[in-house]
Amino acid sequence: MTTDPRDPDAASPQSAPAAVRFDGVGMRYGRGPEVLSDLSFELPSGSFHFLTGPSGAGKTSLLKLIYLAQRPSRGLISMFGRDSALIPRESLPDLRRRIGVVFQDFRLLQHLTVFDNVALPLRVAGQARASYADDVIDLLKWVGLGDRIDALPPTLSGGEQQRAAIARAVISKPELLIADEPTGNVDPEMANRLLRLLVELNRLGTTVLIASHDIGLVRSLGAPVLELADGKLIDDGRRAA
Amino acid sequence: MSQKSRSGDLLPPDRGRDRPLLAVAAILVFLASLAGIGAAGAWQAAEGWTAQLTDQITVQILPGTGRDADADAEAAAIEIARLPGVASAEARGRAQSERLLEPWLGTGVLPDDLPVPRLIAVRLDSETPLAPGAVEALLGDAPYEVVVDDHDRWERAVTRAAAAVRYFGLGVVALLTLAAAAVVAFAARASLAARWDVAEALHLVGAPDSYITRLFQERFFMLGMNAGLIGAVLAGVVGYGLSILGGSAGAVFFLPRFEFGWLGLGIVAGAALVSGLVSAISARLAVSNVLKARWT
Ligand SMILES: Nc1ncnc2c1ncn2[C@@H]1O[C@H](COP(=O)(O)OP(=O)(O)OP(=O)(O)O)[C@@H](O)[C@H]1O
Ligand SMILES: [Mg+2]
């Protein structure tokens, strides 16, 4: 599937349901105020979007809704064509395995090597180490961690941790990739390299959503942009960029 | 490419943190094992006593005035021996009865006219039961008084006492098991809280709750096994020590006579396994409840 990231609708033939669809979604933490309100947008299957907005606008919160770490307080979210509120609890792990996430704070396990961290999604999915070892090592070389395979995360620089986190998110070739500031800690050259990795993944069919402040990065691809301000969408990515 | 050929444990080792818990669990298993050994011993002892009591009865002949009590007893014994269900009956003379009374009356010569009861030891035939009341009926017309002591009262009392000790022992075992399960549940929650990062990371890469629960369950199974081994071996050593430290001390504590053979090993292995299972189940319930509450 070769997709032009500039055209969100091109990747959405009638048959394939949108990877993500929000309809009037609002969200609050506990009993706090709504941090997101009236969100309506859709990420067609195979599309590539950026999500921007000032700090505190709600980018991370929106991503949490997508990777099912939070439930909406109102509205409807559908994932791969299914109303997420109706998905039984037992099916959520399967759904999560179709989603790769790069967390803003990485969430690497500090006692596991870079190799084991990156292999985690495959291990959890029950795959044998022998079947993925080469893939993991290849990917680590690609993100420039070929010589840190056995290192523990606390001994890595911020940028190295970020690259390990990205490798973990993409290793299982998920259908949907969510990345929260994936290039926040690396130099522009590495940022470009990582972005190319995500574009490559998108070419293979993965729907990609990247949250970032970095206007240069966001503009570099000309991909559609969802823009958040104060918990509301001021651009749903349908306008020509 | 120096990467190790084995994947690292998903739960980081927790040695230092586990040690106090291991000690508490081992002590609980130790106490539970002692209670269990005591209950088994009480049962064993009671069975021995009642077996002795049921195959014999004692008949007392209270001498009538002016009669030769020894001769009466001899005659009665011969008649009793003919009853169906009786294997043998043997009259004890005055001398023997006096010896039995020595502890109370001293060794001095007793006055001849003191009516010392004569005893007839009756051994029962284990095949044919003696009809109840047969001895009293047989000697009902005799010119002396007869008291038949069939040990029934004693037997029932002993059985009741043994059962009480046994149920008490089982109750103690049950309580200690409950306490161990509660301690482990508490510890499992603490362990999960300490490793929440691991649980959450696994959750987010698509591990079902059962996958995360299994990690803790396995860890606590091993901990329970170790505690069980330590506790049961200690209890075995202490029990064995008490039972060879004089039979009387052993009997007081209802310690069974054991031979430390395969049975002993089996008991230790069984205690370790049960302890491991209790620990694993308790940890599993605790962790899965927390996960269910956190991730709705
Ligand atoms: N766990 C939480 N509990 C309560 N409020 C929260 C929580 N996380 C975020 N918030 C609030 O929600 C709002 C949006 O936060 P969010 O992290 O989504 O912003 P963001 O756009 O990702 O910011 P940044 O660019 O700094 O990462 C903020 O007002 C924040 O204080
Ligand atoms: Mg954020």
Side-chain angles (χ1 to χ4, degrees):
Chain A
M1 218 195 303
T2 50
T3 310
D4 182 348
R6 259 151 298 210
D7 184 354
D9 290 330
S12 181
Q14 295 306 71
S15 56
V20 179
R21 199 185 139 84
F22 275 43
D23 250 320
V25 170
M27 189 199 111
R28 59 178 81 236
Y29 288 100
R31 290 165 187 243
E34 267 197 341
V35 296
L36 295 172
S37 44
D38 291 326
L39 300 184
S40 296
F41 65 91
E42 126 176 350
L43 305 179
S45 175
S47 65
F48 193 117
H49 282 78
F50 282 104
L51 173 64
T52 61
S55 180
K59 301 182 293 297
T60 299
S61 305
L62 190 156
L63 298 186
K64 281 182 189 163
L65 286 173
I66 296 179
Y67 64 74
L68 307 163
Q70 289 285 336
R71 295 270 189 183
S73 44
R74 53 199 176 85
L76 193 119
I77 296 177
S78 47
M79 303 293 300
F80 308 111
R82 295 170 71 189
D83 179 349
S84 70
L86 302 180
I87 299 172
R89 197 173 189 276
E90 316 84 73
S91 315
L92 290 177
D94 284 334
L95 188 57
R96 286 201 176 88
R97 273 183 230 159
R98 297 163 72 180
I99 307 173
V101 186
V102 182
F103 301 97
Q104 195 167 9
D105 51 359
F106 316 138
R107 310 243 183 133
L108 298 171
L109 294 181
Q110 307 297 303
H111 66 288
L112 291 183
T113 63
V114 168
F115 179 96
D116 282 340
N117 264 291
V118 171
L120 198 60
L122 304 174
R123 187 170 169 184
V124 162
Q127 294 190 31
R129 186 183 172 98
S131 71
Y132 59 67
D134 291 344
D135 290 348
V136 170
I137 291 166
D138 285 347
L139 178 60
L140 283 172
K141 285 183 191 157
W142 213 95
V143 299
L145 291 175
D147 54 349
R148 307 306 316 266
I149 287 171
D150 286 331
L152 294 176
T155 69
L156 300 179
S157 75
E160 287 169 331
Q161 292 188 40
Q162 186 146 50
R163 283 179 271 157
I166 292 175
R168 182 181 64 186
V170 304
I171 187 65
S172 56
K173 303 191 182 67
E175 286 169 60
L176 172 63
L177 183 98
I178 310 288
D180 202 349
E181 301 284 357
T183 57
N185 292 278
V186 295
D187 57 65
E189 197 185 323
M190 183 49 79
N192 236 306
R193 195 178 164 84
L194 294 176
L195 195 60
R196 266 172 41 223
L197 176 67
L198 302 184
V199 168
E200 189 56 38
L201 199 68
N202 175 246
R203 268 193 224 294
L204 293 172
T206 297
T207 308
V208 176
L209 176 63
I210 301 175
S212 179
H213 290 119
D214 184 344
I215 300 299
L217 182 88
V218 170
R219 297 245 167 92
S220 68
L221 280 184
V225 176
L226 301 170
E227 194 171 346
L228 269 181
D230 214 7
K232 295 193 178 60
L233 267 186
I234 55 174
D235 186 343
D236 68 358
R238 289 180 164 268
R239 223 167 45 187
Chain B
M1 219 87 2
S2 64
Q3 119 268 359
K4 290 167 241 119
S5 55
R6 223 190 116 259
S7 300
D9 286 338
L10 289 176
L11 278 185
D14 228 357
R15 285 270 158 254
R17 216 198 304 261
D18 283 353
R19 224 169 284 146
L21 177 63
L22 185 71
V24 170
I27 290 168
L28 290 173
V29 173
F30 170 74
L31 294 174
S33 301
L34 275 190
I37 288 172
W43 200 247
Q44 209 181 67
E47 290 212 319
W49 294 338
T50 52
Q52 275 172 25
L53 290 176
T54 44
D55 66 2
Q56 63 180 43
I57 61 178
T58 306
V59 177
Q60 288 181 46
I61 305 288
L62 303 180
T65 37
R67 292 189 61 87
D68 180 352
D70 281 336
D72 281 347
E74 289 289 348
I78 290 165
E79 284 199 65
I80 290 171
R82 290 202 195 103
L83 280 174
V86 172
S88 67
E90 193 192 328
R92 307 264 153 96
R94 181 181 164 104
Q96 272 172 304
S97 290
E98 278 180 5
R99 212 173 311 128
L100 286 175
L101 294 173
E102 249 171 39
W104 292 275
L105 303 180
T107 49
V109 179
L110 298 173
D112 276 343
D113 57 349
L114 185 78
V116 178
R118 305 297 192 274
L119 302 178
I120 303 174
V122 180
R123 198 154 284 288
L124 298 179
D125 180 352
S126 51
E127 311 289 284
T128 38
L130 175 68
V135 175
E136 290 92 329
L138 179 69
L139 304 175
D141 298 335
Y144 44 79
E145 252 186 277
V146 176
V147 176
V148 177
D149 187 353
D150 61 2
H151 305 296
D152 228 19
R153 276 185 304 150
W154 303 117
E155 191 194 336
R156 255 179 280 129
V158 166
T159 309
R160 223 179 309 125
V165 171
R166 186 162 80 140
Y167 290 128
F168 179 74
L170 291 180
V172 169
V173 170
L175 279 179
L176 289 170
T177 305
L178 214 64
V183 168
V184 167
F186 189 76
R189 277 169 195 275
S191 180
L192 176 60
R195 292 296 161 206
W196 189 250
D197 57 331
V198 178
E200 199 161 45
L202 291 172
H203 178 69
L204 289 170
V205 298
D209 287 3
S210 58
Y211 188 97
I212 299 162
T213 305
R214 205 176 317 127
L215 296 176
F216 288 90
Q217 183 185 315
E218 279 165 12
R219 161 158 299 179
F220 280 90
F221 177 71
M222 289 316 294
L223 186 136
M225 282 272 277
N226 289 335
L229 271 180
I230 297 170
V233 166
L234 276 181
V237 168
V238 168
Y240 186 63
L242 281 179
S243 76
I244 55 174
L245 260 183
S248 57
V252 167
F253 293 111
F254 288 116
L255 291 167
R257 291 161 293 283
F258 2 47
E259 278 123 56
F260 246 124
W262 291 110
L263 182 67
L265 282 180
I267 289 172
V268 168
L273 194 69
V274 167
S275 158
L277 286 176
V278 166
S279 173
I281 291 169
S282 179
R284 178 196 183 87
L285 290 177
V287 169
S288 75
N289 279 340
V290 173
L291 296 186
K292 234 176 264 165
R294 288 291 283 265
W295 296 324
T296 42

